[in-house]
C-alpha cells in the first residue's frame, strides 16, 4: 500500500513540474529585443586594458561588442556617455 501511495505522489509531483507556469498572452507576443549602444565612454575591459572613446553594444541581456569603432546597428538606441566610465562588475544577490 505504501508503494502505491509513493508512486501516486511521485506522479503527482512530475505532473505539477510540467504544468503551465505563466498565464497566456492575449494578442501578439512581443519578442523584440532592443539594441542599446553606449558611445564616447571610457570602457575598462580588464585591469590592463582600457578603451578611450569606446562603444559598447548590448542586445537584450548580452553584450554584442566592445570596441573603439563607432559602428552603430540600424534601429539601435544610442546613449552618449561623453566623460563617463563603464566598468565590468558582478552583482552578488
Amino acid at each position: 500500500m505504501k508503494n502505491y501511495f509513493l508512486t501516486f505522489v511521485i506522479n503527482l509531483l512530475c505532473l505539477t513540474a510540467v504544468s503551465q507556469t505563466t498565464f497566456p498572452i492575449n494578442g501578439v507576443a512581443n519578442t523584440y529585443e532592443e539594441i542599446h549602444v553606449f558611445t564616447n565612454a571610457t570602457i575598462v575591459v580588464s585591469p590592463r586594458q582600457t578603451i578611450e572613446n569606446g562603444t559598447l553594444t548590448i542586445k537584450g541581456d548580452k553584450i554584442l561588442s566592445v570596441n573603439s569603432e563607432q559602428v552603430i546597428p540600424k534601429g539601435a538606441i544610442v546613449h552618449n556617455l561623453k566623460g563617463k566610465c563603464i566598468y565590468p562588475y558582478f552583482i552578488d544577490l
Side-chain angles (χ1 to χ4, degrees):
M1 187 67 173
K2 288 183 182 180
N3 289 338
Y4 292 121
F5 181 71
L6 183 62
T7 304
F8 174 74
V9 170
I10 290 174
N11 286 334
L12 186 64
L13 289 175
C14 289
L15 287 174
T16 306
V18 296
S19 64
Q20 182 177 355
T21 59
T22 60
F23 292 103
I25 298 172
N26 293 330
V28 179
N30 186 6
T31 59
Y32 174 73
E33 291 185 350
E34 298 175 339
I35 299 174
H36 291 272
V37 177
F38 301 95
T39 60
N40 299 324
T42 301
I43 302 172
V44 179
V45 180
S46 68
R48 295 187 178 119
Q49 182 181 7
T50 303
I51 300 173
E52 298 291 330
N53 292 326
T55 302
L56 173 67
T57 307
I58 298 175
K59 180 178 183 181
D61 295 336
K62 298 186 189 226
I63 296 175
L64 296 179
S65 67
V66 178
N67 53 31
S68 60
E69 300 172 3
Q70 293 285 337
V71 178
I72 300 174
K74 184 178 179 182
I77 300 169
V78 179
H79 305 276
N80 188 0
L81 299 179
K82 186 171 185 176
K84 297 185 180 175
C85 297
I86 299 174
Y87 296 97
Y89 67 93
F90 293 103
I91 299 174
D92 188 14
L93 298 177

